[in-house]
Amino acid sequence: MTKDQLGFDGRELIVCQAFFSIKNQVYLVLDTDKKKKVLKIFQSKESLVNEKENLHRFSTASPQVLEESDGALLMEYIPGSNLLDLYIELEKSGAGVEKLASQIKNTLQRLYDLAPGYRLGDMNLRNFILDEKTGFIRFVDYEESCLGKKEEDAGRLLAFLLTYRPIDTNWKRSFVVFLAKQLVCSGQDAELIRHYALDELQAISRRRNIPMVYLPLEFPRRIS
């Protein structure tokens, strides 16, 4: 077996690409049936079990699990673009914020409707794929999904959106305000979103050793 191959369930998979992942090893592979698939090798059995359960919980919107073997899952590959790349390109082009922000809001609502009471967890835009076949946005990393408030997802996502490089631009602030208002209109609590967003912005400041980024003044608040 070469460095461009990985063993799985007694066969050799050809590695096409390594995906960015902090906790696990994730690869786009070519299987012996000549089909592209995603191989995710987990650091722990607990993480694998949690991801597998959540993939089932969100089954109609998540990648399909094809096989399991030796601490790894072989999953459906969803061809398309991750939203971080699209977000960066949209800002470079100076495009309006409304379309993508509305798509994200609709995607989140669809996911929460599938599993009431659960939140997604890792809200990095890399985990959202615009499916080139269907045009729908798919979420692909459920390892951290758990019971919790959807406002925590919203706050973390909005904090990430402000702090992707280049950080805290006027375009990003407009995007965040528009998306936050959309989420509040969909029924989320404005003050909870604000609370979790500020918590995550503080964590990002410490983690990346950058100046604190604050929410725009236009960020929605609860109307009493």
Side-chain angles (χ1 to χ4, degrees):
M1 189 182 303
T2 72
K3 64 179 181 180
D4 297 321
Q5 295 177 326
L6 289 169
F8 182 86
D9 196 29
R11 63 188 190 272
E12 296 177 3
L13 310 178
I14 298 172
V15 177
C16 303
Q17 179 182 351
F19 293 119
F20 176 86
S21 179
I22 294 175
K23 295 182 179 179
N24 304 296
Q25 300 173 59
V26 187
Y27 302 96
L28 174 63
V29 297
L30 188 66
D31 204 346
T32 52
D33 60 6
K34 306 302 181 183
K35 292 182 179 180
K36 288 184 177 180
K37 300 170 186 178
V38 172
L39 178 66
K40 187 167 185 177
I41 303 170
F42 292 83
Q43 286 187 341
S44 70
K45 180 68 173 178
E46 180 182 2
S47 296
L48 184 151
V49 169
N50 195 54
E51 175 116 6
K52 188 168 65 171
E53 289 177 350
N54 284 312
L55 284 165
H56 177 72
R57 185 172 286 116
F58 293 92
S59 59
T60 59
S62 67
Q64 181 184 358
V65 176
L66 304 173
E67 296 179 61
E68 176 183 352
S69 178
D70 298 325
L73 294 178
L74 192 63
M75 297 182 289
E76 171 194 9
Y77 168 57
I78 300 170
S81 302
N82 75 65
L83 287 202
L84 180 54
D85 290 340
L86 292 175
Y87 183 68
I88 291 169
E89 288 305 313
L90 276 177
E91 179 170 14
K92 287 180 179 178
S93 72
V97 303
E98 293 84 0
K99 182 178 179 180
L100 181 58
S102 296
Q103 286 178 305
I104 292 172
K105 183 268 292 183
N106 292 337
T107 298
L108 293 177
Q109 190 59 55
R110 185 167 66 250
L111 288 163
Y112 297 137
D113 287 345
L114 288 173
Y118 278 80
R119 62 181 184 86
L120 299 175
D122 188 349
M123 299 303 291
N124 193 309
L125 281 190
R126 289 188 182 91
N127 294 328
F128 293 87
I129 303 295
L130 181 61
D131 188 332
E132 67 181 29
K133 292 182 179 178
T134 66
F136 287 111
I137 295 173
R138 308 273 296 275
F139 188 71
V140 297
D141 188 348
Y142 292 89
E143 183 182 341
E144 296 181 12
S145 299
C146 61
L147 288 169
K149 296 183 181 297
K150 54 190 175 184
E151 287 86 355
E152 183 170 354
D153 279 349
R156 295 188 69 199
L157 174 60
L158 294 166
F160 291 158
L161 289 167
L162 275 175
T163 54
Y164 291 122
R165 293 184 176 88
I167 68 171
D168 198 23
T169 62
N170 288 334
W171 189 90
K172 286 184 172 70
R173 294 172 78 82
S174 295
F175 192 99
V176 162
V177 168
F178 186 87
L179 178 54
K181 289 178 177 178
Q182 291 274 299
L183 293 171
V184 171
C185 288
S186 73
Q188 294 201 32
D189 185 280
E191 290 302 319
L192 276 178
I193 294 175
R194 175 180 288 272
H195 165 75
Y196 287 118
L198 287 171
D199 274 359
E200 188 60 35
L201 287 169
Q202 290 172 348
I204 290 170
S205 177
R206 293 191 298 267
R207 190 164 64 239
R208 290 168 49 183
N209 193 27
I210 61 174
M212 177 69 181
V213 174
Y214 293 94
L215 296 173
L217 292 176
E218 303 86 356
F219 198 88
R221 289 183 177 272
R222 182 187 298 127
I223 300 174
S224 57

